[in-house]
Amino acid sequence: SDTTLSRGVPEGTFKAYRCKNNLWDMATPIMLGGEHLGNLFIGQYIQTDDILDETLFRDQAKQYGFEEDAYLEALSRVPRLDRRQVDDIMTFFSKFAKMISSTSLNTIQLSRSLAERKQVEKELQRKSSITMGINRLFSEALMSDSEESIAGNALGIAEELTGSRFGFVGEINEQGRFDTIGISNPGWKSCTMD
């Protein structure tokens, strides 16, 4: 009965269903961004204007193998609600479900927005660091007296920006070979011959 009850109910509304045991259930959907996630249910109950057919319930007790008096006693404890009371309860629950959906969607959208903002801030910080490194290199190049000094400064700045512990700077000479102009200290330690 739950699948019958919950199928095709628009957001913000509710649907009543009388099950095969002659008791009532109601459902309202929980939606998130137009997607149906679940339902809020109320039930089972008997409506105050329902006329109970005791014979029907005695027959059900026999059909399902229940002791008749205990089954009818259990039936007497099923809540009796009038239609207006049920409508008021379900109107509240459907508004509550819609509020849960709206709040959840807003939370998800805010989380995504914050994650995107952090990514943009991280990228801006990276670009700012690169720009500051380039400016520092230009400033230090004006004070340098050799290619090796400029290469060492460039290497130090590049290592800071990349978090690398090792690096080198060089150029291709006239013979097509690579000449090292600068190499980080851990690099020199690795290249020494004993």
Side-chain angles (χ1 to χ4, degrees):
S1 67
D2 288 351
T3 52
T4 302
L5 179 58
S6 60
R7 192 178 308 126
V9 183
E11 183 178 15
T13 64
F14 54 91
K15 181 178 176 181
Y17 174 79
R18 189 178 219 164
C19 74
K20 64 183 178 179
N21 295 322
N22 290 302
L23 300 175
W24 288 93
D25 293 298
M26 292 186 96
T28 187
I30 299 173
M31 309 289 283
L32 184 61
E35 186 176 334
H36 184 217
L37 297 181
N39 300 290
L40 281 174
F41 288 96
I42 182 175
Q44 293 183 305
Y45 64 93
I46 298 168
Q47 293 191 3
T48 53
D49 59 352
D50 285 347
I51 299 171
L52 292 183
D53 181 356
E54 193 172 304
T55 306
L56 175 81
F57 286 99
R58 285 186 187 282
D59 291 344
Q60 283 181 340
K62 286 178 192 170
Q63 178 184 354
Y64 298 117
F66 299 126
E67 198 275 302
E68 274 185 49
D69 290 334
Y71 191 72
L72 292 175
E73 168 60 26
L75 177 64
S76 71
R77 290 193 311 269
V78 173
R80 288 183 156 267
L81 305 172
D82 84 16
R83 289 180 195 274
R84 187 182 143 145
Q85 183 182 13
V86 171
D87 285 350
D88 288 346
I89 291 168
M90 286 311 294
T91 297
F92 168 79
F93 276 129
S94 60
K95 288 179 181 177
F96 183 65
K98 196 170 184 178
M99 183 185 75
I100 290 169
S101 300
S102 176
T103 302
S104 297
L105 183 60
N106 289 341
T107 301
I108 289 169
Q109 289 171 337
L110 180 60
S111 294
R112 286 180 182 159
S113 178
L114 288 173
E116 289 170 5
R117 179 180 173 181
K118 285 180 182 179
Q119 189 62 33
V120 167
E121 286 175 352
K122 187 177 177 180
E123 182 62 19
L124 286 173
Q125 178 62 41
R126 187 184 75 78
K127 288 180 179 181
S128 175
S129 295
I130 291 170
T131 302
M132 288 170 51
I134 291 169
N135 288 337
R136 197 168 105 208
L137 180 59
F138 285 152
S139 175
E140 290 176 6
L142 293 173
M143 310 278 199
S144 295
D145 56 357
S146 68
E147 282 185 352
E148 290 79 13
S149 176
I150 295 171
N153 289 336
L155 185 57
I157 292 168
E159 287 174 349
E160 283 177 31
L161 291 174
T162 62
S164 176
R165 297 180 329 150
F166 174 76
F168 59 90
V169 176
E171 64 182 356
I172 305 296
N173 65 25
E174 292 176 9
Q175 290 78 33
R177 293 193 175 139
F178 186 79
D179 287 336
T180 301
I181 301 172
I183 189 167
S184 57
N185 281 339
W188 281 120
K189 290 176 185 172
S190 298
C191 293
T192 58
M193 291 196 229
D194 294 324

